[in-house]
Amino acid sequence: MTENEQQLAHSWATNAGAWTQAVRDGAIESRRLATDAAIVEAVAARGAGRALDVGCGEGWLARALAERGFEVVGVDGSPPLIAGAQALGGATFHVLSYEDILAAPAKLGSPYDAIICNFSLLGEAITPLLAALRASLTSGGRLYVQTVHPFAAGGDAPYRDGWRTETFDSFGGAFPTPMPWYFRTVGAWLAALRDAGLIVDECLEPTHPATGHPLSLLLISRASLP
Ligand SMILES: C[S@@+](CC[C@H](N)C(=O)[O-])C[C@H]1O[C@@H](n2cnc3c(N)ncnc32)[C@H](O)[C@@H]1O
Protein backbone atom coordinates (compact mmCIF):
# COMPACT_ATOMS: atom_id res chain seq x y z
CA MET A 1 0.00 0.00 0.00
CA THR A 2 1.21 3.51 -0.76
CA GLU A 3 1.33 6.16 1.96
CA ASN A 4 -1.87 7.76 0.58
CA GLU A 5 -3.66 4.40 0.63
CA GLN A 6 -2.57 3.74 4.22
CA GLN A 7 -3.85 7.17 5.24
CA LEU A 8 -7.09 6.50 3.33
CA ALA A 9 -7.66 3.26 5.26
CA HIS A 10 -6.74 4.97 8.54
CA SER A 11 -9.24 7.78 7.87
CA TRP A 12 -12.12 5.29 7.57
CA ALA A 13 -11.17 3.72 10.90
CA THR A 14 -10.99 7.01 12.79
CA ASN A 15 -13.86 8.81 10.99
CA ALA A 16 -16.28 5.90 11.33
CA GLY A 17 -18.39 7.47 14.10
CA ALA A 18 -18.73 10.88 12.42
CA TRP A 19 -19.42 9.27 9.04
CA THR A 20 -22.10 6.97 10.43
CA GLN A 21 -23.83 9.89 12.09
CA ALA A 22 -23.65 12.05 8.95
CA VAL A 23 -25.13 9.29 6.77
CA ARG A 24 -27.83 8.28 9.21
CA ASP A 25 -28.80 11.91 9.97
CA GLY A 26 -29.11 12.69 6.24
CA ALA A 27 -26.47 15.41 6.66
CA ILE A 28 -25.00 15.07 3.16
CA GLU A 29 -27.19 17.17 0.87
CA SER A 30 -26.26 15.53 -2.45
CA ARG A 31 -27.20 12.12 -1.04
CA ARG A 32 -30.48 13.38 0.36
CA LEU A 33 -31.43 15.20 -2.85
CA ALA A 34 -30.40 12.75 -5.53
CA THR A 35 -27.61 10.21 -5.27
CA ASP A 36 -29.10 7.78 -2.70
CA ALA A 37 -32.28 7.40 -4.75
CA ALA A 38 -30.28 7.19 -7.99
CA ILE A 39 -28.27 4.16 -6.94
CA VAL A 40 -31.18 2.32 -5.30
CA GLU A 41 -33.42 2.88 -8.34
CA ALA A 42 -30.70 1.93 -10.83
CA VAL A 43 -29.95 -1.38 -9.11
CA ALA A 44 -33.59 -2.23 -8.38
CA ALA A 45 -34.59 -1.48 -11.99
CA ARG A 46 -33.10 -4.79 -13.16
CA GLY A 47 -35.04 -6.84 -10.59
CA ALA A 48 -33.96 -8.41 -7.32
CA GLY A 49 -31.17 -10.96 -7.00
CA ARG A 50 -27.87 -11.37 -5.18
CA ALA A 51 -26.08 -8.08 -4.57
CA LEU A 52 -22.61 -7.22 -3.28
CA ASP A 53 -22.08 -3.77 -1.74
CA VAL A 54 -18.34 -3.07 -2.00
CA GLY A 55 -17.06 -0.51 0.51
CA CYS A 56 -20.50 -0.62 2.14
CA GLY A 57 -19.62 1.68 5.04
CA GLU A 58 -22.29 1.65 7.75
CA GLY A 59 -24.57 -0.34 5.45
CA TRP A 60 -27.42 1.96 4.42
CA LEU A 61 -27.44 0.81 0.77
CA ALA A 62 -27.26 -2.89 1.64
CA ARG A 63 -30.28 -2.42 3.88
CA ALA A 64 -32.17 -0.41 1.25
CA LEU A 65 -31.59 -3.12 -1.37
CA ALA A 66 -32.55 -5.88 1.08
CA GLU A 67 -35.83 -4.02 1.58
CA ARG A 68 -36.29 -4.23 -2.21
CA GLY A 69 -35.94 -8.03 -2.10
CA PHE A 70 -32.20 -8.42 -2.75
CA GLU A 71 -30.04 -10.89 -0.85
CA VAL A 72 -27.17 -8.58 0.05
CA VAL A 73 -23.60 -9.01 1.23
CA GLY A 74 -21.76 -5.85 2.29
CA VAL A 75 -17.98 -5.71 2.65
CA ASP A 76 -15.74 -2.93 3.88
CA GLY A 77 -12.18 -2.56 5.16
CA SER A 78 -13.15 -0.51 8.23
CA PRO A 79 -13.90 -2.71 11.27
CA PRO A 80 -15.86 0.02 13.13
CA LEU A 81 -18.05 0.73 10.09
CA ILE A 82 -18.80 -2.99 9.68
CA ALA A 83 -19.58 -3.23 13.40
CA GLY A 84 -22.08 -0.39 12.94
CA ALA A 85 -23.58 -2.12 9.89
CA GLN A 86 -23.91 -5.42 11.75
CA ALA A 87 -25.55 -3.65 14.69
CA LEU A 88 -28.44 -2.52 12.44
CA GLY A 89 -28.40 -5.78 10.41
CA GLY A 90 -30.70 -6.24 7.43
CA ALA A 91 -27.91 -7.84 5.33
CA THR A 92 -24.74 -9.88 5.82
CA PHE A 93 -21.69 -7.74 6.54
CA HIS A 94 -17.99 -8.71 6.60
CA VAL A 95 -14.73 -6.87 7.18
CA LEU A 96 -12.93 -7.32 3.87
CA SER A 97 -10.53 -4.80 2.36
CA TYR A 98 -9.96 -4.42 -1.38
CA GLU A 99 -6.48 -5.79 -0.78
CA ASP A 100 -8.08 -8.88 0.87
CA ILE A 101 -10.34 -9.28 -2.19
CA LEU A 102 -7.37 -9.15 -4.55
CA ALA A 103 -5.44 -11.67 -2.45
CA ALA A 104 -8.36 -14.13 -2.20
CA PRO A 105 -11.29 -13.28 -4.55
CA ALA A 106 -13.06 -16.50 -3.50
CA LYS A 107 -13.84 -14.76 -0.20
CA LEU A 108 -16.57 -12.87 -2.10
CA GLY A 109 -18.57 -16.11 -2.42
CA SER A 110 -20.95 -17.10 -5.23
CA PRO A 111 -21.46 -14.74 -8.19
CA TYR A 112 -23.65 -11.66 -7.88
CA ASP A 113 -26.33 -10.19 -10.14
CA ALA A 114 -25.40 -6.70 -8.95
CA ILE A 115 -22.09 -5.46 -7.58
CA ILE A 116 -22.12 -1.89 -6.35
CA CYS A 117 -19.31 0.53 -5.50
CA ASN A 118 -21.15 3.56 -4.12
CA PHE A 119 -18.65 6.38 -3.58
CA SER A 120 -16.22 3.71 -2.42
CA LEU A 121 -13.52 3.63 -5.12
CA LEU A 122 -11.22 6.21 -3.60
CA GLY A 123 -7.73 4.90 -4.35
CA GLU A 124 -5.50 5.20 -7.41
CA ALA A 125 -5.07 1.62 -8.68
CA ILE A 126 -8.68 0.49 -9.10
CA THR A 127 -8.41 -1.62 -12.27
CA PRO A 128 -7.31 -4.88 -10.55
CA LEU A 129 -10.20 -4.60 -8.08
CA LEU A 130 -12.67 -3.87 -10.90
CA ALA A 131 -11.37 -6.96 -12.76
CA ALA A 132 -11.86 -9.12 -9.65
CA LEU A 133 -15.40 -7.78 -9.26
CA ARG A 134 -16.12 -8.43 -12.95
CA ALA A 135 -15.13 -12.07 -12.38
CA SER A 136 -17.70 -12.24 -9.54
CA LEU A 137 -20.65 -11.18 -11.75
CA THR A 138 -23.26 -13.64 -12.96
CA SER A 139 -23.51 -13.87 -16.76
CA GLY A 140 -26.18 -11.17 -16.93
CA GLY A 141 -24.84 -9.27 -13.92
CA ARG A 142 -24.02 -5.57 -13.77
CA LEU A 143 -21.41 -3.51 -11.93
CA TYR A 144 -22.62 -0.13 -10.64
CA VAL A 145 -20.05 2.54 -9.84
CA GLN A 146 -21.27 5.84 -8.42
CA THR A 147 -18.73 8.58 -7.77
CA VAL A 148 -18.79 12.32 -7.10
CA HIS A 149 -19.20 13.86 -10.55
CA PRO A 150 -15.73 14.88 -11.78
CA PHE A 151 -17.14 18.24 -12.93
CA ALA A 152 -18.46 18.90 -9.41
CA ALA A 153 -15.47 17.52 -7.52
CA GLY A 154 -12.86 19.49 -9.42
CA GLY A 155 -13.03 22.77 -7.50
CA ASP A 156 -10.36 25.18 -8.71
CA ALA A 157 -7.84 22.41 -9.33
CA PRO A 158 -6.88 21.48 -12.90
CA TYR A 159 -9.08 18.84 -14.52
CA ARG A 160 -6.61 15.98 -14.36
CA ASP A 161 -6.12 12.76 -12.40
CA GLY A 162 -4.37 13.03 -9.07
CA TRP A 163 -4.57 12.73 -5.32
CA ARG A 164 -6.71 15.30 -3.46
CA THR A 165 -7.69 15.72 0.19
CA GLU A 166 -11.21 15.61 1.65
CA THR A 167 -11.53 17.43 4.97
CA PHE A 168 -15.27 16.62 5.40
CA ASP A 169 -15.81 20.25 6.50
CA SER A 170 -19.08 20.49 4.58
CA PHE A 171 -20.51 17.32 6.18
CA GLY A 172 -20.96 18.73 9.69
CA GLY A 173 -19.81 16.61 12.62
CA ALA A 174 -16.32 16.07 13.91
CA PHE A 175 -14.23 14.15 11.41
CA PRO A 176 -10.82 13.75 13.06
CA THR A 177 -8.83 12.67 10.01
CA PRO A 178 -8.63 14.17 6.49
CA MET A 179 -8.93 11.59 3.73
CA PRO A 180 -6.67 11.39 0.68
CA TRP A 181 -8.66 10.39 -2.41
CA TYR A 182 -7.79 9.99 -6.04
CA PHE A 183 -9.58 12.32 -8.48
CA ARG A 184 -10.08 10.94 -11.98
CA THR A 185 -11.59 12.52 -15.06
CA VAL A 186 -14.61 11.01 -16.83
CA GLY A 187 -12.21 9.62 -19.44
CA ALA A 188 -10.10 7.97 -16.75
CA TRP A 189 -13.17 6.30 -15.20
CA LEU A 190 -14.12 4.88 -18.58
CA ALA A 191 -10.57 3.68 -19.22
CA ALA A 192 -10.36 1.95 -15.81
CA LEU A 193 -13.57 0.03 -16.53
CA ARG A 194 -12.46 -0.89 -20.04
CA ASP A 195 -9.06 -2.07 -18.81
CA ALA A 196 -10.84 -4.27 -16.24
CA GLY A 197 -12.82 -6.00 -19.01
CA LEU A 198 -16.06 -4.08 -18.52
CA ILE A 199 -18.33 -2.32 -21.04
CA VAL A 200 -20.41 0.65 -19.93
CA ASP A 201 -24.09 0.07 -20.75
CA GLU A 202 -25.48 3.20 -19.19
CA CYS A 203 -24.18 6.49 -17.80
CA LEU A 204 -26.43 8.42 -15.41
CA GLU A 205 -25.65 11.89 -14.08
CA PRO A 206 -27.98 12.79 -11.19
CA THR A 207 -28.28 16.55 -10.82
CA HIS A 208 -29.14 19.01 -8.06
CA PRO A 209 -32.88 19.64 -8.41
CA ALA A 210 -32.52 23.41 -7.91
CA THR A 211 -29.24 24.26 -9.66
CA GLY A 212 -29.22 21.51 -12.28
CA HIS A 213 -25.52 20.95 -11.57
CA PRO A 214 -24.25 17.37 -11.81
CA LEU A 215 -23.83 15.65 -8.44
CA SER A 216 -22.63 12.20 -9.38
CA LEU A 217 -21.54 9.99 -12.22
CA LEU A 218 -23.22 6.57 -12.18
CA LEU A 219 -21.71 4.07 -14.59
CA ILE A 220 -23.48 0.74 -15.15
CA SER A 221 -21.27 -1.91 -16.77
CA ARG A 222 -21.27 -5.54 -17.81
CA ALA A 223 -18.43 -7.94 -18.47
CA SER A 224 -16.81 -7.84 -21.87
CA LEU A 225 -14.43 -10.65 -20.89
CA PRO A 226 -15.39 -13.97 -19.25
C1 LIG B 1 -17.46 7.45 1.16
S1 LIG B 1 -17.59 5.93 2.02
C2 LIG B 1 -19.00 5.20 1.20
C3 LIG B 1 -19.65 4.15 2.05
C4 LIG B 1 -20.93 3.57 1.45
N1 LIG B 1 -20.68 2.93 0.18
C5 LIG B 1 -22.00 4.61 1.33
O1 LIG B 1 -22.53 4.81 0.23
O2 LIG B 1 -22.34 5.24 2.35
C6 LIG B 1 -16.21 5.01 1.36
C7 LIG B 1 -16.10 3.59 1.90
O3 LIG B 1 -15.12 2.87 1.16
C8 LIG B 1 -14.41 2.05 2.07
N2 LIG B 1 -13.09 1.77 1.52
C9 LIG B 1 -12.25 2.65 0.95
N3 LIG B 1 -11.09 2.04 0.60
C10 LIG B 1 -11.24 0.74 0.96
C11 LIG B 1 -10.40 -0.41 0.85
N4 LIG B 1 -9.16 -0.34 0.31
N5 LIG B 1 -10.88 -1.60 1.29
C12 LIG B 1 -12.14 -1.67 1.80
N6 LIG B 1 -12.96 -0.62 1.97
C13 LIG B 1 -12.52 0.57 1.54
C14 LIG B 1 -14.32 2.87 3.34
O4 LIG B 1 -14.01 2.08 4.48
C15 LIG B 1 -15.69 3.53 3.37
O5 LIG B 1 -16.62 2.77 4.08
PDB file of all heavy atoms in Angstrom, residues 41-62:
ATOM      1  N   GLU A  41     -32.525   3.076  -7.186  1.00  0.00           N
ATOM      2  CA  GLU A  41     -33.424   2.876  -8.342  1.00  0.00           C
ATOM      3  C   GLU A  41     -32.696   2.171  -9.485  1.00  0.00           C
ATOM      4  O   GLU A  41     -33.251   1.304 -10.148  1.00  0.00           O
ATOM      5  CB  GLU A  41     -33.976   4.218  -8.842  1.00  0.00           C
ATOM      6  CG  GLU A  41     -34.870   4.956  -7.855  1.00  0.00           C
ATOM      7  CD  GLU A  41     -35.997   4.098  -7.291  1.00  0.00           C
ATOM      8  OE1 GLU A  41     -36.539   3.271  -8.041  1.00  0.00           O
ATOM      9  OE2 GLU A  41     -36.307   4.238  -6.099  1.00  0.00           O
ATOM     10  N   ALA A  42     -31.440   2.540  -9.722  1.00  0.00           N
ATOM     11  CA  ALA A  42     -30.699   1.928 -10.828  1.00  0.00           C
ATOM     12  C   ALA A  42     -30.524   0.428 -10.606  1.00  0.00           C
ATOM     13  O   ALA A  42     -30.709  -0.377 -11.518  1.00  0.00           O
ATOM     14  CB  ALA A  42     -29.328   2.604 -10.984  1.00  0.00           C
ATOM     15  N   VAL A  43     -30.169   0.049  -9.380  1.00  0.00           N
ATOM     16  CA  VAL A  43     -29.948  -1.382  -9.108  1.00  0.00           C
ATOM     17  C   VAL A  43     -31.285  -2.124  -9.115  1.00  0.00           C
ATOM     18  O   VAL A  43     -31.410  -3.190  -9.724  1.00  0.00           O
ATOM     19  CB  VAL A  43     -29.213  -1.575  -7.759  1.00  0.00           C
ATOM     20  CG1 VAL A  43     -29.028  -3.059  -7.460  1.00  0.00           C
ATOM     21  CG2 VAL A  43     -27.854  -0.865  -7.782  1.00  0.00           C
ATOM     22  N   ALA A  44     -32.289  -1.548  -8.483  1.00  0.00           N
ATOM     23  CA  ALA A  44     -33.590  -2.228  -8.381  1.00  0.00           C
ATOM     24  C   ALA A  44     -34.268  -2.364  -9.743  1.00  0.00           C
ATOM     25  O   ALA A  44     -35.072  -3.274  -9.950  1.00  0.00           O
ATOM     26  CB  ALA A  44     -34.495  -1.471  -7.402  1.00  0.00           C
ATOM     27  N   ALA A  45     -33.929  -1.481 -10.680  1.00  0.00           N
ATOM     28  CA  ALA A  45     -34.594  -1.485 -11.993  1.00  0.00           C
ATOM     29  C   ALA A  45     -34.418  -2.804 -12.733  1.00  0.00           C
ATOM     30  O   ALA A  45     -35.247  -3.171 -13.555  1.00  0.00           O
ATOM     31  CB  ALA A  45     -34.049  -0.336 -12.845  1.00  0.00           C
ATOM     32  N   ARG A  46     -33.340  -3.525 -12.450  1.00  0.00           N
ATOM     33  CA  ARG A  46     -33.096  -4.791 -13.156  1.00  0.00           C
ATOM     34  C   ARG A  46     -33.700  -5.987 -12.428  1.00  0.00           C
ATOM     35  O   ARG A  46     -33.503  -7.126 -12.847  1.00  0.00           O
ATOM     36  CB  ARG A  46     -31.599  -5.000 -13.370  1.00  0.00           C
ATOM     37  CG  ARG A  46     -30.973  -3.949 -14.280  1.00  0.00           C
ATOM     38  CD  ARG A  46     -29.519  -4.266 -14.554  1.00  0.00           C
ATOM     39  NE  ARG A  46     -29.361  -5.588 -15.136  1.00  0.00           N
ATOM     40  CZ  ARG A  46     -29.527  -5.869 -16.427  1.00  0.00           C
ATOM     41  NH1 ARG A  46     -29.844  -4.903 -17.252  1.00  0.00           N
ATOM     42  NH2 ARG A  46     -29.377  -7.086 -16.863  1.00  0.00           N
ATOM     43  N   GLY A  47     -34.406  -5.742 -11.323  1.00  0.00           N
ATOM     44  CA  GLY A  47     -35.038  -6.844 -10.593  1.00  0.00           C
ATOM     45  C   GLY A  47     -34.114  -7.367  -9.512  1.00  0.00           C
ATOM     46  O   GLY A  47     -32.894  -7.219  -9.588  1.00  0.00           O
ATOM     47  N   ALA A  48     -34.725  -7.966  -8.493  1.00  0.00           N
ATOM     48  CA  ALA A  48     -33.955  -8.411  -7.324  1.00  0.00           C
ATOM     49  C   ALA A  48     -33.091  -9.619  -7.662  1.00  0.00           C
ATOM     50  O   ALA A  48     -33.322 -10.326  -8.643  1.00  0.00           O
ATOM     51  CB  ALA A  48     -34.901  -8.728  -6.175  1.00  0.00           C
ATOM     52  N   GLY A  49     -32.080  -9.837  -6.829  1.00  0.00           N
ATOM     53  CA  GLY A  49     -31.168 -10.963  -7.000  1.00  0.00           C
ATOM     54  C   GLY A  49     -30.134 -10.891  -5.893  1.00  0.00           C
ATOM     55  O   GLY A  49     -30.384 -10.300  -4.842  1.00  0.00           O
ATOM     56  N   ARG A  50     -28.953 -11.462  -6.165  1.00  0.00           N
ATOM     57  CA  ARG A  50     -27.866 -11.367  -5.180  1.00  0.00           C
ATOM     58  C   ARG A  50     -27.064 -10.097  -5.441  1.00  0.00           C
ATOM     59  O   ARG A  50     -26.694  -9.822  -6.593  1.00  0.00           O
ATOM     60  CB  ARG A  50     -26.945 -12.581  -5.313  1.00  0.00           C
ATOM     61  CG  ARG A  50     -27.347 -13.747  -4.431  1.00  0.00           C
ATOM     62  CD  ARG A  50     -26.525 -14.975  -4.732  1.00  0.00           C
ATOM     63  NE  ARG A  50     -25.089 -14.819  -4.552  1.00  0.00           N
ATOM     64  CZ  ARG A  50     -24.464 -14.754  -3.375  1.00  0.00           C
ATOM     65  NH1 ARG A  50     -25.173 -14.814  -2.251  1.00  0.00           N
ATOM     66  NH2 ARG A  50     -23.155 -14.634  -3.305  1.00  0.00           N
ATOM     67  N   ALA A  51     -26.810  -9.348  -4.396  1.00  0.00           N
ATOM     68  CA  ALA A  51     -26.084  -8.079  -4.565  1.00  0.00           C
ATOM     69  C   ALA A  51     -24.896  -8.022  -3.610  1.00  0.00           C
ATOM     70  O   ALA A  51     -24.983  -8.492  -2.467  1.00  0.00           O
ATOM     71  CB  ALA A  51     -27.010  -6.896  -4.308  1.00  0.00           C
ATOM     72  N   LEU A  52     -23.808  -7.430  -4.095  1.00  0.00           N
ATOM     73  CA  LEU A  52     -22.606  -7.219  -3.277  1.00  0.00           C
ATOM     74  C   LEU A  52     -22.361  -5.718  -3.194  1.00  0.00           C
ATOM     75  O   LEU A  52     -22.210  -5.058  -4.230  1.00  0.00           O
ATOM     76  CB  LEU A  52     -21.407  -7.915  -3.935  1.00  0.00           C
ATOM     77  CG  LEU A  52     -20.048  -7.705  -3.264  1.00  0.00           C
ATOM     78  CD1 LEU A  52     -20.016  -8.382  -1.882  1.00  0.00           C
ATOM     79  CD2 LEU A  52     -18.919  -8.256  -4.141  1.00  0.00           C
ATOM     80  N   ASP A  53     -22.323  -5.191  -1.977  1.00  0.00           N
ATOM     81  CA  ASP A  53     -22.083  -3.766  -1.741  1.00  0.00           C
ATOM     82  C   ASP A  53     -20.621  -3.628  -1.306  1.00  0.00           C
ATOM     83  O   ASP A  53     -20.262  -4.001  -0.184  1.00  0.00           O
ATOM     84  CB  ASP A  53     -23.065  -3.284  -0.660  1.00  0.00           C
ATOM     85  CG  ASP A  53     -23.006  -1.789  -0.414  1.00  0.00           C
ATOM     86  OD1 ASP A  53     -22.208  -1.097  -1.080  1.00  0.00           O
ATOM     87  OD2 ASP A  53     -23.763  -1.313   0.458  1.00  0.00           O
ATOM     88  N   VAL A  54     -19.790  -3.111  -2.212  1.00  0.00           N
ATOM     89  CA  VAL A  54     -18.335  -3.073  -1.999  1.00  0.00           C
ATOM     90  C   VAL A  54     -17.948  -1.727  -1.392  1.00  0.00           C
ATOM     91  O   VAL A  54     -18.186  -0.685  -2.000  1.00  0.00           O
ATOM     92  CB  VAL A  54     -17.605  -3.279  -3.343  1.00  0.00           C
ATOM     93  CG1 VAL A  54     -16.094  -3.217  -3.144  1.00  0.00           C
ATOM     94  CG2 VAL A  54     -18.003  -4.605  -3.972  1.00  0.00           C
ATOM     95  N   GLY A  55     -17.331  -1.754  -0.200  1.00  0.00           N
ATOM     96  CA  GLY A  55     -17.060  -0.510   0.513  1.00  0.00           C
ATOM     97  C   GLY A  55     -18.380   0.014   1.048  1.00  0.00           C
ATOM     98  O   GLY A  55     -18.751   1.179   0.848  1.00  0.00           O
ATOM     99  N   CYS A  56     -19.094  -0.878   1.746  1.00  0.00           N
ATOM    100  CA  CYS A  56     -20.501  -0.617   2.135  1.00  0.00           C
ATOM    101  C   CYS A  56     -20.636   0.394   3.259  1.00  0.00           C
ATOM    102  O   CYS A  56     -21.747   0.853   3.538  1.00  0.00           O
ATOM    103  CB  CYS A  56     -21.184  -1.921   2.538  1.00  0.00           C
ATOM    104  SG  CYS A  56     -20.436  -2.690   4.011  1.00  0.00           S
ATOM    105  N   GLY A  57     -19.518   0.719   3.942  1.00  0.00           N
ATOM    106  CA  GLY A  57     -19.617   1.676   5.040  1.00  0.00           C
ATOM    107  C   GLY A  57     -20.531   1.162   6.134  1.00  0.00           C
ATOM    108  O   GLY A  57     -20.468  -0.011   6.523  1.00  0.00           O
ATOM    109  N   GLU A  58     -21.395   2.052   6.638  1.00  0.00           N
ATOM    110  CA  GLU A  58     -22.288   1.651   7.747  1.00  0.00           C
ATOM    111  C   GLU A  58     -23.513   0.873   7.269  1.00  0.00           C
ATOM    112  O   GLU A  58     -24.338   0.473   8.072  1.00  0.00           O
ATOM    113  CB  GLU A  58     -22.664   2.852   8.616  1.00  0.00           C
ATOM    114  CG  GLU A  58     -23.264   4.011   7.875  1.00  0.00           C
ATOM    115  CD  GLU A  58     -24.658   3.725   7.325  1.00  0.00           C
ATOM    116  OE1 GLU A  58     -25.534   3.345   8.122  1.00  0.00           O
ATOM    117  OE2 GLU A  58     -24.859   3.866   6.101  1.00  0.00           O
ATOM    118  N   GLY A  59     -23.612   0.646   5.952  1.00  0.00           N
ATOM    119  CA  GLY A  59     -24.565  -0.344   5.452  1.00  0.00           C
ATOM    120  C   GLY A  59     -25.915   0.139   4.959  1.00  0.00           C
ATOM    121  O   GLY A  59     -26.792  -0.674   4.665  1.00  0.00           O
ATOM    122  N   TRP A  60     -26.080   1.472   4.778  1.00  0.00           N
ATOM    123  CA  TRP A  60     -27.424   1.956   4.416  1.00  0.00           C
ATOM    124  C   TRP A  60     -27.914   1.356   3.094  1.00  0.00           C
ATOM    125  O   TRP A  60     -29.083   0.986   2.966  1.00  0.00           O
ATOM    126  CB  TRP A  60     -27.459   3.495   4.348  1.00  0.00           C
ATOM    127  CG  TRP A  60     -26.868   4.036   3.081  1.00  0.00           C
ATOM    128  CD1 TRP A  60     -25.567   4.377   2.878  1.00  0.00           C
ATOM    129  CD2 TRP A  60     -27.541   4.226   1.824  1.00  0.00           C
ATOM    130  NE1 TRP A  60     -25.394   4.779   1.575  1.00  0.00           N
ATOM    131  CE2 TRP A  60     -26.583   4.696   0.900  1.00  0.00           C
ATOM    132  CE3 TRP A  60     -28.858   4.053   1.393  1.00  0.00           C
ATOM    133  CZ2 TRP A  60     -26.898   4.985  -0.420  1.00  0.00           C
ATOM    134  CZ3 TRP A  60     -29.165   4.346   0.067  1.00  0.00           C
ATOM    135  CH2 TRP A  60     -28.195   4.803  -0.818  1.00  0.00           C
ATOM    136  N   LEU A  61     -27.010   1.270   2.098  1.00  0.00           N
ATOM    137  CA  LEU A  61     -27.440   0.813   0.769  1.00  0.00           C
ATOM    138  C   LEU A  61     -27.772  -0.678   0.794  1.00  0.00           C
ATOM    139  O   LEU A  61     -28.754  -1.113   0.170  1.00  0.00           O
ATOM    140  CB  LEU A  61     -26.342   1.111  -0.257  1.00  0.00           C
ATOM    141  CG  LEU A  61     -26.602   0.637  -1.679  1.00  0.00           C
ATOM    142  CD1 LEU A  61     -27.898   1.244  -2.242  1.00  0.00           C
ATOM    143  CD2 LEU A  61     -25.419   0.970  -2.588  1.00  0.00           C
ATOM    144  N   ALA A  62     -26.971  -1.448   1.514  1.00  0.00           N
ATOM    145  CA  ALA A  62     -27.256  -2.887   1.635  1.00  0.00           C
ATOM    146  C   ALA A  62     -28.654  -3.081   2.240  1.00  0.00           C
ATOM    147  O   ALA A  62     -29.449  -3.903   1.758  1.00  0.00           O
ATOM    148  CB  ALA A  62     -26.194  -3.551   2.502  1.00  0.00           C
TER     149      ALA A  62
END
